[in-house]
Amino acid sequence: MQSQPLLSFGNDSDTTMSTRSEKDVDERLHDGEVSWTPEEEKKVVRKLDCIVMPLLILVFIGLQLDRGNIGNALTDDFLDNVGISQNQFNVGQQLLYLGIVLLEIPSNMILFYIGPLWWLSAQVMAWAMVSIFQAFQHGHRAFFATRILLGICEAGFIPASLYIITVWYKNSEVSARFSWYFLGYFFALGSSGLLAFGILRMRGLGGLTGWQWLFILEGLYTVLAGVLLICFLPEHRDKPYPFTQINYFTERERYIIARRVPLDDPAKLAKKRSISVRDLRQALGNWKMWLHFMLCLATIGPVTALNTYAPSLVRGLGYNRLDANAYVSIGTWIQICLVPIAGWTADKTQRRGLVVLAGQLCWFLLLLGNLLAINSNKSGRLGILIMALAVTQCWHPINSSWLSINASSPAERSIYMACIIISANLAGVYGAQIFRQDDAPKYYRAWKTTTSILAFGVVIGIFTNVAYYLLNRQAAKKEQKEGIQVRRYHV
């Protein structure tokens, strides 16, 4: 029996329909033809956009706030108050990403036993509690424990959310919804500095420090987002009611919801999906996947390092702790505008590889600028740092979609996406050790290290573009010589 994918990303209809007959689809749906108008379907999709997507985005914001607010806490004497060194702090950050990497796959296995909604809700509440109780930690052992617990509780959250999106949306609708979803991540990055600017002023209130209030209040936000998720997110397209049994849809709309996605992709009819050993071996044996993996690994590491230490770097230029957090947010808000522009450009030109490479080059040049300007005046250094923060990850969603659309099957696509997530978190493991205590305050070695690593990432980006170009040229020659159709790759 042919195995089904753990997760499905992108447009799978061509591969799926080649392996399942229309008759099989008809038999399983009992009603295989579209019996609704485009206007009716558009209305249903708009409803889903107003119900499903906001809830998932709200929780994703909470995840990034709870994971990333530690960088803001550094500007409020966090190290001295907790009693840890900067190098111990870096180890704690490594443990966070290690927890995510180790439990990414087991988390997804649990998801399919108890259902994505309930597993996602349990995860949200678990990491929210860890985030809140971080406020009362002291000593390196407590710090290490809370960081790895946070990583363990967050592991698998993003794939679970993406799975929920694929349940509700057709393949032609999924890519846009993924983009909306990931804007929640950038919104959290941009708002974290502004939130810290206000919350850190609460130092002394109730006998707590500003960073303690930061953990508590942002953790409480995640609890609230989790409660909203449990109460209002519909469970499944076959049962489009939330836990509170609110009836969002008419009987006609429920009929459309239950049938439109399986008709688009019959693979989603399966109640239980798994990945076979053969699927795994085939996907991991594809050398092209490893190019994208290495590209991500080399380019995300410097991103992780800079995102964590940016507020401290700005404070080191002579700005106060509150202004430092506000200044850092400027770059992220610029990036929120640039990410959809980059995505639109990639889709419009159908040159995803070149857009990825352009993003890498901008990121590299601005990192190099930070290195060369290390002895410049503080205003100039601040400007270059903000510009660097504005382009750190414009390329990342496009690299993921570039790999996704070049997958030959839904199972392969699922494994590829899991590999990209693992690669990004492995980058966090080494990125957490780049800015070290003995390199302060200018971090000359750190800037050289990040620039060198990113230069390697750019080389991988160039090689990946050239590899796809040569593969397509070889396919064209074979078509011309043998007169048969040969697969072309998206570039």
Side-chain angles (χ1 to χ4, degrees):
M1 181 178 294
Q2 186 173 354
S3 60
Q4 305 298 322
L6 182 66
L7 292 173
S8 181
F9 301 84
N11 191 340
D12 304 327
S13 57
D14 53 345
T15 304
T16 303
M17 293 307 293
S18 66
T19 58
R20 295 170 180 82
S21 68
E22 292 182 4
K23 180 180 178 181
D24 181 55
V25 177
D26 291 347
E27 289 174 352
R28 298 188 67 176
L29 286 178
H30 307 290
D31 181 353
E33 295 185 1
V34 174
S35 56
W36 52 83
T37 66
E39 289 72 23
E40 286 181 304
E41 187 169 5
K42 287 179 182 178
K43 183 179 178 181
V44 167
V45 173
R46 284 195 296 268
K47 271 195 175 184
L48 292 173
D49 288 341
C50 293
I51 297 169
V52 176
M53 294 306 303
L55 291 169
L56 295 177
I57 290 170
L58 283 174
V59 180
F60 197 10
I61 290 171
L63 177 138
Q64 184 53 39
L65 287 176
D66 294 335
R67 182 189 295 185
N69 56 16
I70 196 81
N72 305 113
L74 285 177
T75 65
D76 194 45
D77 300 325
F78 174 80
L79 298 180
D80 292 337
N81 294 161
V82 177
I84 60 174
S85 67
Q86 183 176 332
N87 292 339
Q88 287 174 326
F89 171 85
N90 290 341
V91 172
Q93 288 297 89
Q94 286 182 303
L95 290 174
L96 167 74
Y97 292 108
L98 191 61
I100 296 172
V101 169
L102 292 178
L103 290 184
E104 194 77 51
I105 293 176
S107 176
N108 281 305
M109 293 172 66
I110 296 172
L111 177 146
F112 281 91
Y113 276 106
I114 68 175
L117 172 59
W118 296 108
W119 178 238
L120 201 68
S121 301
Q123 279 191 287
V124 174
M125 291 303 178
W127 91 61
M129 291 298 104
V130 174
S131 180
I132 291 172
F133 285 105
Q134 283 184 122
F136 308 104
Q137 63 186 302
H138 187 78
H140 70 278
R141 289 184 179 86
F143 176 68
F144 292 163
T146 54
R147 294 317 281 177
I148 195 167
L149 276 174
L150 194 63
I152 288 171
C153 293
E154 291 180 351
F157 167 80
I158 295 175
S161 298
L162 297 179
Y163 171 76
I164 289 176
I165 293 174
T166 62
V167 166
W168 291 100
Y169 291 97
K170 293 162 63 172
N171 289 330
S172 59
E173 300 162 348
V174 162
S175 295
R177 273 69 189 181
F178 279 11
S179 298
W180 298 0
Y181 176 70
F182 277 101
L183 280 178
Y185 165 80
F186 292 107
F187 180 82
L189 283 180
S191 60
S192 62
L194 299 177
L195 289 170
F197 180 81
I199 295 173
L200 294 182
R201 293 176 182 271
M202 297 173 66
R203 174 176 274 270
L205 184 64
L208 300 176
T209 63
W211 62 264
Q212 286 177 304
W213 280 114
L214 189 69
F215 288 148
I216 291 170
L217 293 179
E218 293 186 351
L220 287 174
Y221 163 83
T222 305
V223 171
L224 177 60
V227 170
L228 292 175
L229 187 78
I230 295 169
C231 293
F232 300 110
L233 184 69
E235 188 170 346
H236 194 272
R237 63 171 178 265
D238 296 326
K239 186 183 175 183
Y241 303 97
F243 173 71
T244 50
Q245 294 300 304
I246 298 173
N247 191 357
Y248 293 123
F249 308 100
T250 66
E251 184 177 352
R252 175 66 173 170
E253 288 169 340
R254 291 195 297 272
Y255 173 86
I256 296 171
I257 288 171
R259 288 159 177 78
R260 69 184 205 98
V261 172
L263 282 172
D264 174 67
D265 184 356
K268 294 181 181 180
L269 281 168
K271 298 298 181 182
K272 184 178 180 181
R273 298 177 174 90
S274 62
I275 293 175
S276 68
V277 174
R278 180 176 177 275
D279 292 331
L280 191 62
R281 186 169 58 245
Q282 183 176 337
L284 295 181
N286 189 334
W287 60 271
K288 296 181 290 299
M289 185 279 291
W290 291 106
L291 291 178
H292 292 272
F293 185 96
M294 292 302 298
L295 189 156
C296 180
L297 186 67
T299 316
I300 285 288
V303 175
T304 303
L306 196 59
N307 282 345
T308 301
Y309 279 98
S312 299
L313 292 171
V314 175
R315 191 179 182 189
L317 295 177
Y319 296 93
N320 67 56
R321 61 189 178 90
L322 300 177
D323 290 343
N325 287 290
Y327 281 132
V328 165
S329 68
I330 296 173
T332 308
W333 285 108
I334 295 173
Q335 186 159 214
I336 287 173
C337 299
L338 293 179
V339 166
I341 292 173
W344 179 87
T345 303
D347 284 340
K348 188 72 174 177
T349 62
Q350 294 295 301
R351 292 292 184 272
R352 292 170 180 82
L354 291 179
V355 176
V356 169
L357 183 58
Q360 285 184 293
L361 286 171
C362 289
W363 174 212
F364 169 75
L365 291 173
L366 287 166
L367 264 188
L368 182 62
N370 277 278
L371 174 62
L372 297 177
I374 203 165
N375 293 313
S376 301
N377 63 75
K378 72 174 189 178
S379 297
R381 291 181 65 191
L382 176 64
I384 295 175
L385 180 60
I386 289 174
M387 290 171 64
L389 289 168
V391 298
T392 55
Q393 297 184 75
C394 295
W395 58 273
H396 185 39
I398 303 168
N399 180 49
S400 300
S401 65
W402 186 19
L403 174 60
S404 174
I405 63 175
N406 277 317
S408 60
S409 70
E412 191 173 72
R413 182 174 293 116
S414 302
I415 297 167
Y416 286 170
M417 293 299 97
C419 288
I420 285 293
I421 293 170
I422 290 172
S423 175
N425 284 288
L426 283 175
V429 173
Y430 81 79
Q433 285 289 356
I434 291 177
F435 286 87
R436 296 183 60 82
Q437 191 170 2
D438 60 351
D439 196 27
K442 291 188 175 181
Y443 296 103
Y444 181 71
R445 186 179 67 231
W447 288 116
K448 285 201 302 182
T449 301
T450 52
T451 305
S452 300
I453 293 171
L454 192 49
F456 174 70
V458 171
V459 171
I460 296 295
I462 294 171
F463 187 84
T464 306
N465 274 275
V466 172
Y468 279 120
Y469 170 77
L470 293 177
L471 286 170
N472 283 342
R473 191 172 73 169
Q474 185 180 30
K477 288 181 178 178
K478 190 172 182 179
E479 282 185 356
Q480 187 176 12
K481 181 179 180 180
E482 301 179 12
I484 59 173
Q485 187 174 2
V486 181
R487 182 190 177 192
R488 303 290 184 93
Y489 291 95
H490 295 270
V491 295

